Structure formats: structure tokens, C-alpha cells
Amino acid sequence: MKKFTLFLTAFLLTFTMMQAQNFKVLLVDDDNNGSSETSTIETALTNSGYTWAKASSSTPTFADMEQYDIVLWYTGNDGTTHLWKTDADENSVYNDDLMQFANNGGIVWVDGLDFFYNIVGTAPDNFPAGTFINDTLGVTDYLSQSHTSDDGNQGVPQYDKATSNSITSINPINWEYSTLWLADGLAISSNAHPLYEMMGGAYPLAGQITALYNQVGTSTYITSGFRIAKMYDQTMKNNLLSQ
């Protein structure tokens, strides 16, 4: 748990110039696959010393969000989210309230699996210049999904830091599972900044970006396939269970 708390602290503080005690986070649980899995995130936010709250629903309004510095929108492994304004349209944007928050200088961090699948379906897909996903999120191509696109339905064993990632020293990232299924492999625009990529031995999708950030005006958009609620390795899990 300590490792995850350190990761979350470093990751979030990099995107703000505020003191931790003044830094406010709204956690949105948009994973409708059975019981909530955000307790690990909630504990890490508390341990980090942030002021934070969990949204009362997976459809918070701008009024709910505007008092916070960052909205951490967690989709877990749910392929049907409340993230997008419309489905099946690569020109779609985040829902109106989330866009209003971002356009007012808010930081949006979307984490989880299947939110690209939610809007365009099965990989691969391309997002040309002039589309929201390219120009705003900084993603040019939805290349693959682990387990469905790799040889033999393997799943990705770990993520490694991109070379230019100076945000966190945590490397590699893995999960309570031996491999992560349905993680997105992405290609990104020249304006976006890579954070983590798929790796692990001779893994066939190695090198594909799975976490990035992009800045547009005063807005910052972080996109990641960490599935952070499951982001501790076996040692971290054993430590958590012993507390």
C-alpha cells in the first residue's frame, strides 16, 4: 500500500503547483461491474494527505466538480461508461459537465480499461487531426488491447516507464493478476507526453503507450490504462492484507 500511495502522491503532485494540503481531488467511480473496487484508491488518497471526496454518483455535475483541482475518473474494467457525450463517434467529447470542468482549467485524469472500446469498439482505430481524441487527449491511434490483440491471448505482464517520464520513480507497474487483460495500446501525437508503455519479456505489444498526458491551454488531460485500484504487486497485496 505504501508503494501505491507514493506513486499516487508523485503522480498527482506533478500536475499541480499547489501544496498537498490545498490540493483537492474528486474521485468518480464509473465502474459498474459488480461491487466497487475503489477502496484502495480511497486509502491511498487519505494516506497522501489530500483533501478528497468520492462523487455521490458516476454522473457528477460541473457544480459537483468545480470545487476540486483534479477529477480522477475511474472506469475500472467497465466497457460502458458515463465518460463520453455520445458513443460510436470518434469526434465525441467527454460529457458536457466534465468538459466544462476541464475548460475552466481543471485537471482530468481518466484511468481504467475499455473506455476507448466504449466509444469506437474493437481495436485498431485511427483518430486523425481535427478529432477530439487526437487534438485534446493526444491519442492518434488505438492500436490494440492486451489479451485480445496479443499472440495467444496472453495479457500484458507489466508496464515500464517511458524514457521521458520524470513524474514517478515507480517502475515497473504490475497488478494483483499475473497479467492485465483489455489494457489499451496507443500511439500518441507529437504534442502529448508518454508516461508508461507495455513491456515484459518478449511480449508482442511491448513498446505501445498505455499512459500519457496532454496539455491544451490551461487544461491537462491524463489518460491511463493502469486500472490503479488493482495496481499493487503481490508483495504490496500481502502488506495490505496484513494491516
Side-chain angles (χ1 to χ4, degrees):
M1 190 66 196
K2 182 178 180 181
K3 184 177 179 182
F4 180 34
T5 299
L6 290 173
F7 170 85
L8 199 64
T9 301
F11 202 86
L12 291 175
L13 280 179
T14 301
F15 293 100
T16 69
M17 300 303 293
M18 306 173 186
Q19 297 296 321
Q21 61 266 28
N22 297 324
F23 180 34
K24 298 180 180 180
V25 181
L26 181 67
L27 172 63
V28 179
D29 185 358
D30 194 14
D31 180 9
N32 194 33
N33 272 336
S35 60
S36 174
E37 61 182 39
T38 61
S39 59
T40 306
I41 305 172
E42 295 170 35
T43 300
L45 287 170
T46 298
N47 291 347
S48 298
Y50 298 133
T51 298
W52 71 275
K54 186 175 181 179
S56 59
S57 76
S58 56
T59 56
T61 66
F62 173 68
D64 297 325
M65 292 184 267
E66 65 175 337
Q67 58 189 305
Y68 297 92
D69 303 299
I70 183 167
V71 170
L72 200 176
W73 196 290
Y74 183 70
T75 68
N77 66 336
D78 189 359
T80 303
T81 75
H82 297 98
L83 185 62
W84 306 105
K85 181 183 292 186
T86 62
D87 291 338
D89 178 2
E90 62 193 31
N91 288 291
S92 295
V93 300
Y94 287 156
N95 69 66
D96 291 333
D97 291 281
L98 188 56
M99 281 303 302
Q100 187 176 358
F101 171 79
N103 290 338
N104 277 270
I107 300 169
V108 174
W109 178 9
V110 176
D111 177 74
L113 311 175
D114 272 348
F115 49 83
F116 283 110
Y117 177 85
N118 181 198
I119 197 169
V120 297
T122 305
D125 208 319
N126 171 257
F127 310 114
T131 60
F132 171 79
I133 293 177
N134 183 311
D135 297 353
T136 303
L137 303 190
V139 175
T140 63
D141 292 271
Y142 171 35
L143 298 172
S144 66
Q145 281 197 308
S146 64
H147 184 67
T148 60
S149 304
D150 51 31
D151 296 336
N153 296 333
Q154 301 173 50
V156 58
Q158 68 186 55
Y159 294 159
D160 284 3
K161 285 174 53 180
T163 302
S164 59
N165 178 2
S166 60
I167 288 175
T168 172
S169 61
I170 302 299
N171 192 54
I173 286 176
N174 46 28
W175 311 271
E176 64 177 280
Y177 315 113
S178 59
T179 65
L180 187 66
W181 293 8
L182 305 180
D184 295 332
L186 308 170
I188 67 176
S189 72
S190 59
N191 295 323
H193 305 271
L195 294 172
Y196 279 86
E197 57 191 31
M198 296 184 182
M199 293 300 289
Y203 185 62
L205 305 181
Q208 294 187 7
I209 302 298
T210 195
L212 67 143
Y213 74 94
N214 197 35
Q215 293 177 303
V216 181
T218 60
S219 302
T220 301
Y221 300 88
I222 309 165
T223 304
S224 68
F226 294 134
R227 198 181 177 188
I228 52 177
K230 301 293 185 180
M231 201 194 75
Y232 37 85
D233 58 22
Q234 191 61 46
T235 300
M236 295 170 69
K237 183 178 182 180
N238 290 341
N239 289 340
L240 176 63
L241 293 175
S242 67
Q243 293 178 3

